[in-house]
Amino acid sequence: MALHKGAGDDRRLTISPFVGTADPLGPMELSPPLHRLADKPVAADTAYQLIHDELMLDGNAKLNLATFVTTSMEAQASRLMTECLDKNMIDKDEYPQTAELERRCVAILADLWHAPDPENTVGCSTTGSSEACMLAGLALKRRWMRRNPERYAAGARPNLVMGVNVQVCWEKFCTFWEVEARTAPMEGERYHLGAEQAVALCDENTIGAVGILGSTFDGSYEPVEEICAALDKLQARTGLDVPVHVDGASGAMVAPFLDPELVWDFRLPRVASINTSGHKFGLVYPGVGWALWRDREALPEELVFRVNYLGGEMPTFALNFSRPGAEVIAQYYTFVRLGRDGFRAVQGASREVAQYLAGRVEALGCFRMLTRGDELPVFAFTTTDDVPFDVFDVSRRLRERGWQVPAYTFPENRQDLSVLRVVCRNGFSRDLADLLLGDLERLLPELRSQPGPLKELGVPARTAFHH
């Protein structure tokens, strides 16, 4: 979450006389302050209208092509979530059926990801992939510590191998839990971790390697099977046994349905754990993720706390304690509602739109495609060398029409490359894609008439997007 500072001013919210139901002057006299509590309460309808009107300034979720997060669900799912807003997920004694639905979701994912022994696959819900990655990283570090007690006691610093394209939660994990982040930079047209690069970074202090099934930078899958095969050869040659965690924040809910022949999951013996975001291509509103471990050995028992809480003892492994059960209920609803064929249809439709849109964008003649939406329903592209504008100019102009299309610069070793990226989620239809194309086509003549990219003319490239 962003850090915010307090404010010392005495600014106040402005209330229209007609917000009051009976006395127009009453609400105007309230004028609640912005940055401190008012002395008196405000009528519920007045408070609602004040906040409702301010929130109209937020962007339109349907036009937000930056986020991977689900922005629409069926009315029945929303109703179930409303009915469960008051249920505390951690209170499994009071809400045993909510706990049971969480258990079923774990079992469904274990089956979907080909766990070798689903009965012994352990997992839990989280607030999202970031928490799930933290938990997976902690398990990797603790397993390494148990295998190397003398080296750790002598001051050896554990490290984690990954590509520079990882989501920021992995950087946070390494900082928070004192693990050296060993990142493979991008090189040429390789925009993520490769098998050769992963092996080169491993040593006796490596707690694990992270494979990303769906890079946020360009939507591509990392070659998890190749990475595992290379680590198998490393173990045969040196004795180093490096487990793999698959960050499937997005792809773990796409590949099983659209790429069943792709081997990336627990079918690979070296894969110790997998996470995904229920609130991305799991098709649930924000607030739920999942972490699963191959077996009980992959999750050290000392990390699991048994808590006597509200009438019963329960095992828990999470960074958060109390949290709502609504999102877990919504995840189970989505599993029941869609089944395999439904998920295949929904994700397939998103991929079809992504590929269609990528092809049409390329046909405009002034963009070069990095990816085409044939893995995640996501594609990235940059401008060609012969146009007088850059990706930041395109993003800025599209925002004038309400479209949020992020522009950003790639990291280490490819900082010369800036791209636009489009995420085609459920609900972003071909009709909306055509509207985006129409706006882009209308903007191009003006962009082509520029003397050069605006940043070269002294206008700073601005983007609020961060991975």
Side-chain angles (χ1 to χ4, degrees):
M1 296 293 292
L3 296 176
H4 302 282
K5 296 180 179 179
D9 58 60
D10 195 38
R11 285 181 293 166
R12 292 175 178 268
L13 294 166
T14 303
I15 301 180
S16 165
F18 294 101
V19 170
T21 55
D23 177 10
L25 292 179
M28 293 184 69
E29 293 172 352
L30 292 173
S31 296
L34 287 175
H35 300 122
R36 59 182 176 82
L37 284 175
D39 294 327
K40 303 292 185 181
V42 173
D45 286 342
T46 302
Y48 167 83
Q49 194 65 46
L50 285 171
I51 298 169
H52 170 82
D53 290 349
E54 278 204 60
L55 290 174
M56 292 174 66
L57 295 172
D58 277 345
N60 185 325
K62 284 282 188 181
L63 305 184
N64 184 358
L65 304 181
T67 184
F68 286 77
V69 174
T70 297
T71 53
S72 63
M73 291 189 76
E74 293 176 313
Q76 292 87 344
S78 297
R79 192 184 315 151
L80 273 173
M81 293 183 74
T82 301
E83 293 168 359
C84 297
L85 287 175
D86 60 346
K87 294 186 178 182
N88 185 356
M89 190 67 235
I90 205 67
D91 189 357
K92 300 185 188 329
D93 185 67
E94 183 68 21
Y95 308 114
Q97 204 57 34
T98 297
E100 167 61 17
L101 298 191
E102 179 189 31
R103 189 193 67 78
R104 292 181 195 174
C105 287
V106 169
I108 288 168
L109 291 171
D111 176 67
L112 190 66
W113 296 339
H114 299 96
D117 183 5
E119 289 296 318
N120 287 306
T121 301
V122 291
C124 62
S125 64
T126 64
T127 54
S129 273
S130 292
E131 182 187 2
C133 291
M134 296 282 176
L135 299 179
L138 281 171
L140 290 174
K141 182 180 179 183
R142 186 55 61 96
R143 288 179 63 193
W144 176 85
M145 289 168 57
R146 288 171 60 179
R147 292 196 304 264
N148 301 276
E150 295 179 359
R151 185 181 297 117
Y152 185 67
R157 187 183 182 192
N159 66 71
L160 183 65
V161 170
M162 50 196 168
V164 72
N165 57 302
V166 292
Q167 211 268 353
V168 69
C169 67
W170 288 107
E171 300 175 34
K172 289 182 179 180
F173 165 75
C174 290
T175 299
F176 294 167
W177 277 278
E178 298 181 330
V179 172
E180 177 191 354
R182 290 194 174 176
T183 56
M186 296 179 176
E187 293 179 9
E189 301 301 304
R190 179 182 58 75
Y191 304 124
H192 54 222
L193 182 67
E196 180 181 346
Q197 292 73 31
V199 168
L201 292 172
C202 292
D203 62 19
E204 65 275 8
N205 295 327
T206 301
I207 64 174
V210 177
I212 309 293
L213 198 71
S215 172
T216 59
F217 278 88
D218 62 2
S220 63
Y221 294 158
E222 289 189 337
V224 177
E225 186 175 20
E226 293 178 18
I227 291 170
C228 287
L231 292 173
D232 288 343
K233 293 178 181 177
L234 176 69
Q235 182 177 10
R237 188 172 67 252
T238 67
L240 292 177
D241 184 7
V242 178
V244 168
H245 171 78
V246 178
D247 183 347
S250 295
M253 294 302 295
V254 173
F257 307 108
L258 301 187
D259 310 294
E261 75 288 345
L262 182 69
V263 179
W264 62 272
D265 52 18
F266 289 125
R267 285 171 288 183
L268 298 168
R270 193 165 291 279
V271 172
S273 49
I274 302 172
N275 73 274
T276 197
S277 286
H279 59 223
K280 292 182 180 173
F281 288 98
L283 308 178
V284 175
Y285 283 137
V288 64
W290 300 93
L292 269 69
W293 287 264
R294 167 179 291 278
D295 50 35
R296 298 183 185 281
E297 182 183 353
L299 178 60
E301 176 63 25
E302 63 265 29
L303 293 178
V304 179
F305 289 83
R306 279 167 173 76
V307 182
N308 190 325
Y309 184 63
L310 297 179
E313 184 179 88
M314 60 181 181
T316 176
F317 180 40
L319 300 180
N320 294 291
F321 199 65
S322 294
R323 57 188 175 87
E327 288 83 359
V328 170
I329 301 300
Q331 183 73 83
Y332 185 66
Y333 167 85
T334 305
F335 286 156
V336 170
R337 170 79 171 95
L338 292 178
R340 286 180 178 265
D341 287 347
F343 264 100
R344 189 175 299 112
V346 170
Q347 313 297 39
S350 295
R351 181 180 280 182
E352 287 175 7
V353 171
Q355 292 179 294
Y356 164 75
L357 185 54
R360 290 289 305 276
V361 168
E362 184 176 29
L364 294 173
C366 50
F367 298 108
R368 178 174 67 85
M369 312 308 294
L370 275 68
T371 50
R372 301 172 183 275
D374 54 353
E375 293 182 319
L376 286 188
V378 175
F379 63 94
F381 58 104
T382 189
T383 52
T384 55
D385 294 334
D386 58 347
V387 297
F389 57 88
D390 62 16
V391 295
F392 300 99
D393 297 339
V394 177
S395 179
R396 182 186 288 110
R397 293 304 307 276
L398 285 174
R399 187 175 284 270
E400 294 172 5
R401 288 285 293 163
W403 299 103
Q404 299 172 60
V405 180
Y408 51 91
T409 300
F410 270 26
E412 189 178 349
N413 280 20
R414 284 312 315 265
Q415 292 156 322
D416 60 308
L417 178 60
S418 297
V419 305
L420 293 151
R421 190 202 63 201
V422 173
V423 179
C424 297
R425 303 180 310 281
N426 178 41
F428 182 71
S429 64
R430 182 174 288 211
D431 292 333
L432 284 173
D434 284 334
L435 290 174
L436 171 63
L437 282 166
D439 284 337
L440 185 55
E441 289 171 343
R442 280 188 288 272
L443 290 173
L444 285 178
E446 295 181 32
L447 290 168
R448 286 194 174 105
S449 69
Q450 293 182 180
L454 292 184
K455 67 180 181 182
E456 296 181 6
L457 303 177
V459 180
R462 177 185 173 274
T463 179
F465 178 75
H466 298 280
H467 285 273

